[in-house]
Amino acid sequence: TFYDLGYVRDIADIYELKNYKYELTRLDGMGELRVSNLLNAIEESKKNNIEFDERFVQKGSYYKENSGKKAVENAINSGVDFTAIMLPDDYTAVSAAAYIKDYEKKTGRKISYTGFDGVEVTGILSKPITTIRQDTKLLGVEAARILLNEMKGIKSVEPTLLPVSIYEGKTVTQI
């Protein structure tokens, strides 16, 4: 995690993550597009005067077994009265689904949750997961273009932002 690597010691350091862009792109599961999206979201939050409350930012991991369970447990144990969880990827969201369902049964509270990536499994579950979908074909075409350009000696300097869409599953409810 960013904390374990020393990039973030407290919530104020989130605004300085841009200084570690190169290192962040080399982390397992990150890559240039994810890092660009993260850094752009942080910059947008500054423009909109959205303040981070560190109680709402939980450490986690990508694509690890039980990462969804840990995300839900962290949220429950944080002491924060939360109503939603944005999980870092769809596999984590799938992993979290059963734990969220159990929590809802025990407490009577509804928890909204989303994933990110748009993998097909999110739509075929008994309760389809709301997710942000990436156009994987376009992503592949763009990756090939960048790779071919780099093979020709043309370095890609600017991040490539591709369009996304929202798949509206059944995991986000009104408060």
Side-chain angles (χ1 to χ4, degrees), residues 147-167:
L147 180 61
L148 290 171
N149 280 341
E150 288 199 11
M151 290 169 62
K152 294 175 188 174
I154 303 168
K155 272 291 205 194
S156 179
V157 180
E158 293 297 315
T160 304
L161 300 177
L162 300 175
V164 297
S165 61
I166 295 178
Y167 172 76

Side-chain angles (χ1 to χ4, degrees), residues 76-113:
I76 291 168
N77 296 329
S78 70
V80 173
D81 185 23
F82 69 98
T83 58
I85 301 175
M86 171 65 184
L87 296 149
D89 59 77
D90 288 339
Y91 294 108
T92 304
V94 169
S95 164
Y99 302 101
I100 290 172
K101 186 176 180 180
D102 288 345
Y103 179 75
E104 289 175 335
K105 281 182 182 176
K106 288 178 189 173
T107 64
R109 295 180 60 213
K110 291 288 181 197
I111 302 299
S112 294
Y113 61 101

Side-chain angles (χ1 to χ4, degrees), residues 84-145:
I85 301 175
M86 171 65 184
L87 296 149
D89 59 77
D90 288 339
Y91 294 108
T92 304
V94 169
S95 164
Y99 302 101
I100 290 172
K101 186 176 180 180
D102 288 345
Y103 179 75
E104 289 175 335
K105 281 182 182 176
K106 288 178 189 173
T107 64
R109 295 180 60 213
K110 291 288 181 197
I111 302 299
S112 294
Y113 61 101
T114 65
F116 184 89
D117 286 334
V119 297
E120 294 302 316
V121 72
T122 58
I124 63 170
L125 299 171
S126 60
K127 186 175 182 181
I129 295 173
T130 299
T131 185
I132 298 170
R133 284 194 168 155
Q134 301 178 75
D135 182 336
T136 53
K137 183 177 179 182
L138 182 59
L139 185 62
V141 168
E142 189 60 22
R145 185 190 67 75

